[in-house]
Amino acid sequence: MIATLQSLRFVFVMLIFLSHFDYKDIHALDAGGDCGVAFFFLLSGFVLSLGYGPQISEGSFSFGRFLKRRLLKCYPLHILCLLLFLIVSRSAIDGRVILNALLLQSWVPDADYYFSCNSVSWFLSSLMFCYLVFPSVYRRISPALTLTVLAAGIAIYLLVPYSRVNAILYVHPLVRFIDFYLGMLLARYYGRWTSPRGMEPLLLVGLLFALAVYPMSDEKFRNAPLFWLVLIPMIGVFAQQRGWLSNLLKSRPMIFLGSLSMPLYLTHQMLIAIVRHHLPDMPAMWMLTMCVLISLVVSWGAQIIFSRLFRL
């Protein structure tokens, strides 16, 4: 585990949280959702390549053990959230529910499917595809493959109509694999260079700038390419843990909060809706504080229970 990247998980899952919180004079931070999702796809490709790349290269990699560990980290909680959604919404089991249970919903380019049930679980559906192809793609990383992926990505981003931005550019597994692949590529070059001191604050400023210009950016390219420019170097620089911001991120409270990122991601949207429905009218900041605290407590409880049940 790279402590700084573990802590950054919390920072970016909170950006996603804020993209789903809209109450009175606090408006949803739309940029946070696109930025956070791009970060997690990039980070997944990066850390999996660092962790499993040597095994793949040496021939000691076990795909069965790898996939089992990936599934245990997210699938039981995904199913629990799906059941909670069905109970709270009193929804019947239909094709959309079945696709959600199988983590196949993001393959259907229809919002009634990919954003159905616990809507944030579309991310797991697309991430699962990345897990499945990861070992074979890692073995074949080359300049030719990189050019092919980038050329295909450019063509898709240019040709997809604006009416299909969410269905294709934001959700579809084949497109989100580009983020994942860029993370894998970053891992290949990680360790070959040392970032100069002072880069961390500059990258933080760059991230804030990207979030600020997001509303003025082309709808197609703000899904991910806008943030690649800062997130790719950010992951590489913070992985080296050299600056004062890294020292802050390596603190125990931040590492602990980072460990809650998956349960926080999977539960936060439903919890926001439940808290808003059951708590009385209150000032916006109080409501936001209550939603954050309750989401953290629930995520902590889920983390404890599932880590003990599955020995994660």
Side-chain angles (χ1 to χ4, degrees), residues 147-168:
L147 287 175
T148 301
V149 171
L150 293 179
I154 292 171
I156 291 170
Y157 272 91
L158 291 176
L159 296 175
V160 166
Y162 284 94
S163 61
R164 309 296 285 169
V165 165
N166 266 351
I168 303 300

Side-chain angles (χ1 to χ4, degrees), residues 23-25 281-288:
Y23 184 78
K24 293 186 176 180
D25 57 340
D281 182 65
M282 62 177 65
M285 283 304 301
W286 279 103
M287 180 61 75
L288 175 60

Side-chain angles (χ1 to χ4, degrees), residues 82 85-87 89-98 117:
L82 178 59
F85 169 83
L86 294 175
I87 293 170
S89 64
R90 300 179 182 179
S91 300
I93 296 178
D94 56 16
R96 292 173 298 179
V97 175
I98 293 172
C117 303

Side-chain angles (χ1 to χ4, degrees), residues 117-138:
C117 303
N118 183 27
S119 62
V120 296
S121 64
W122 73 264
F123 171 80
L124 295 184
S125 176
S126 295
L127 188 62
M128 193 55 58
F129 168 73
C130 296
Y131 289 162
L132 291 173
V133 301
F134 163 67
S136 59
V137 172
Y138 187 88

